[in-house]
Amino acid sequence: MRSEKKPWSPLLCDELIEEILSRLPVKPLIQFKCVCKGWNSLMSDPYFIKLHLSKSAAKDDLEHLQLMKNVCLGSIPEIHMESCDVSSLFHSLQIETFLFNFANMPGYHLVGSCNGLHCGVSEIPEGYHVCFWNKATRVISRESPTLSFSPGIGRRTMFGFGYDPSSDKYKVVAIALTMLSLDVSEKTEMKVYGAGDSSWRNLKGFPVLWTLPKVGGVYLTGTLNWVVIKGKETIHSEIVIISVDLEKETCRSLFLPDDFCCFDTNIGVFRDSLCVWQDSNTHLGLWQMKKFGDDKSWIQLINFSYLHLKIRPNEEKSMILPLCMSNNGDFFMLKFTRNADDEYQTILYNQGDGSFRTLLWRNLKIFTKSLVIPY
């Protein structure tokens, strides 16, 4: 005779279950929320979210990254994107993509990603709104208060998005160059907003800029970083890296490598280090700052010829942008855009054997999958 049914009791202790779950990909974890109330609560626990994120980041950087591209569907501007695992691009000829959209976010466009969160900006007559969302969990934050700058006859803006570990808050930084009148030179303004804040704040100590940076702020260890041209006049201008401390909401200048040609300089993060690269129209050179904040610690990491990749970067208005590199340095991904005739391609380069393949993908972003909550 079968004994009476007893209440279920776990065979594993809570700590071991937590350790096992923290090593799993995001997609099954979201599905496991419906297993029981305890697991549902665990997936939303800030400690577990950080534990899972740290374990994901510790893996080979191609295993937990996804590549995302904008997709145009219909005439109403909405956030429609396709994504795929970065590792699959190097190892498979068949690339599976996943379409997702946020129909209740018309007019927003993506300006940055950090730890699995995305930052979108919407332009309105009064200025701008931003909001944050997690693609994996499909959770969206509330809109920010309105971002506004000094009135003028013309304005250009650039955004950066990152994480302040001291306050456990995600922040967006906005840079604006505003032409006040035909007789007055452009005014440089920089403002910062943190998820859940009631207002935007002015950033302290930001220098006057000659032009806006070419790309959005690059996030690294609590900072956002741009390559900028300082100064109001070309003859007195200087090309430096501006690094914004998201905790103190202040900024400082870092110098580029010695003997570095500053023509077409861009910035990125590879192997958890700040890097700059130089497009010389024949070669791509990549320098790495071995110790962040020490501008005497630059070393050259990569220098390869475009001729080998069978691309013609020396045409007018072309742009080369590295996207990511594997931890062992074997695989390298870069984006090549020729704006003059709107051609574009993504190049997957294997430094080990010199082989490469190309994809015709536009508006690419690299992001991490996570459970991070956007508020």
Side-chain angles (χ1 to χ4, degrees):
M1 183 176 177
R2 181 174 296 182
S3 59
E4 292 183 6
K5 186 176 180 180
K6 297 181 179 180
W8 175 81
S9 59
L11 298 176
L12 301 175
C13 65
D14 292 344
E15 290 78 9
L16 187 54
I17 293 175
E18 181 180 279
E19 180 67 22
I20 294 172
L21 292 176
S22 68
R23 298 174 182 272
L24 297 180
V26 170
K27 186 176 180 179
L29 287 179
I30 295 174
Q31 296 171 336
F32 291 164
K33 280 189 171 186
C34 61
V35 170
C36 63
K37 291 182 179 180
W39 282 24
N40 181 63
S41 177
L42 178 65
M43 306 304 174
S44 302
D45 182 82
Y47 171 80
F48 179 81
I49 291 173
K50 292 178 183 178
L51 178 65
H52 179 266
L53 182 63
S54 66
K55 291 186 181 297
S56 295
K59 299 176 184 177
D60 185 277
D61 55 358
L62 297 182
E63 293 299 325
H64 72 287
L65 293 177
Q66 283 200 322
L67 191 67
M68 186 164 55
K69 67 174 181 176
N70 289 342
V71 179
C72 182
L73 296 177
S75 58
I76 299 176
E78 295 179 351
I79 296 179
H80 294 275
M81 296 176 183
E82 287 184 348
S83 66
C84 67
D85 292 335
V86 168
S87 58
S88 69
L89 298 178
F90 290 96
H91 304 300
S92 174
L93 295 177
Q94 298 295 324
I95 301 172
E96 183 181 7
T97 63
F98 307 90
L99 178 67
F100 68 98
N101 65 81
F102 295 89
N104 59 339
M105 295 173 63
Y108 274 86
H109 65 277
L110 182 69
V111 296
S113 300
C114 178
N115 293 344
L117 287 191
H118 308 301
C119 176
V121 173
S122 174
E123 187 170 2
I124 59 175
E126 298 81 13
Y128 303 88
H129 284 150
V130 303
C131 72
F132 312 136
W133 75 95
N134 186 317
K135 166 192 173 290
T137 62
R138 308 189 74 83
V139 178
I140 306 173
S141 73
R142 294 181 178 178
E143 283 187 332
S144 72
T146 300
L147 165 64
S148 59
F149 294 101
S150 299
I153 61 175
R155 178 180 301 111
R156 291 165 292 158
T157 56
M158 180 66 70
F159 295 86
F161 179 55
Y163 174 64
D164 173 10
S166 65
S167 63
D168 192 24
K169 182 176 290 189
Y170 287 84
K171 295 182 177 181
V172 57
V173 174
I175 308 173
L177 290 183
T178 304
M179 182 176 289
L180 303 180
S181 70
L182 294 176
D183 300 324
V184 180
S185 61
E186 291 180 319
K187 178 180 181 180
T188 302
E189 296 177 271
M190 195 173 207
K191 298 192 177 185
V192 61
Y193 167 78
D197 289 349
S198 58
S199 63
W200 290 78
R201 298 176 297 281
N202 291 319
L203 199 91
K204 301 182 284 285
F206 196 76
V208 174
L209 300 185
W210 176 254
T211 62
L212 273 182
K214 289 189 287 185
V215 296
V218 172
Y219 174 75
L220 178 65
T221 58
T223 67
L224 283 170
N225 304 271
W226 288 266
V227 173
V228 301
I229 303 178
K230 293 170 54 178
K232 289 186 176 181
E233 300 177 0
T234 306
I235 192 172
H236 296 123
S237 63
E238 181 182 21
I239 301 180
V240 298
I241 296 172
I242 290 295
S243 183
V244 173
D245 186 315
L246 292 176
E247 175 186 357
K248 299 176 182 178
E249 298 185 0
T250 57
C251 63
R252 60 171 172 163
S253 298
L254 301 173
F255 292 104
L256 294 167
D258 293 336
D259 302 323
F260 187 76
C261 176
C262 298
F263 179 73
D264 280 343
T265 300
N266 277 297
I267 191 169
V269 173
F270 296 91
R271 303 180 188 174
D272 297 322
S273 297
L274 195 67
C275 292
V276 291
W277 57 86
Q278 172 184 293
D279 178 4
S280 66
N281 284 334
T282 60
H283 287 72
L284 179 69
L286 182 68
W287 280 259
Q288 178 187 44
M289 183 180 279
K290 296 289 289 183
K291 182 180 179 182
F292 180 71
D294 181 1
D295 44 26
K296 300 297 184 182
S297 65
W298 290 108
I299 62 168
Q300 189 168 32
L301 197 62
I302 287 175
N303 186 40
F304 64 80
S305 170
Y306 296 142
L307 182 62
H308 176 72
L309 299 178
K310 299 180 181 179
I311 59 178
R312 306 184 306 277
N314 55 348
E315 297 183 4
E316 185 180 1
K317 296 183 179 179
S318 64
M319 181 181 295
I320 304 288
L321 296 175
L323 291 173
C324 69
M325 178 192 301
S326 62
N327 282 338
N328 58 17
D330 286 344
F331 296 108
F332 188 66
M333 180 183 297
L334 59 90
K335 178 171 60 175
F336 170 52
T337 305
R338 191 184 296 108
N339 294 327
D341 52 11
D342 201 31
E343 292 184 13
Y344 56 92
Q345 56 185 293
T346 300
I347 300 173
L348 314 174
Y349 178 53
N350 186 333
Q351 291 195 104
D353 60 17
S355 63
F356 66 92
R357 49 187 297 224
T358 60
L359 301 171
L360 297 181
W361 276 33
R362 185 195 301 267
N363 298 326
L364 299 174
K365 300 286 184 181
I366 298 288
F367 74 96
T368 304
K369 295 171 285 188
S370 79
L371 297 169
V372 173
I373 300 172
Y375 43 79

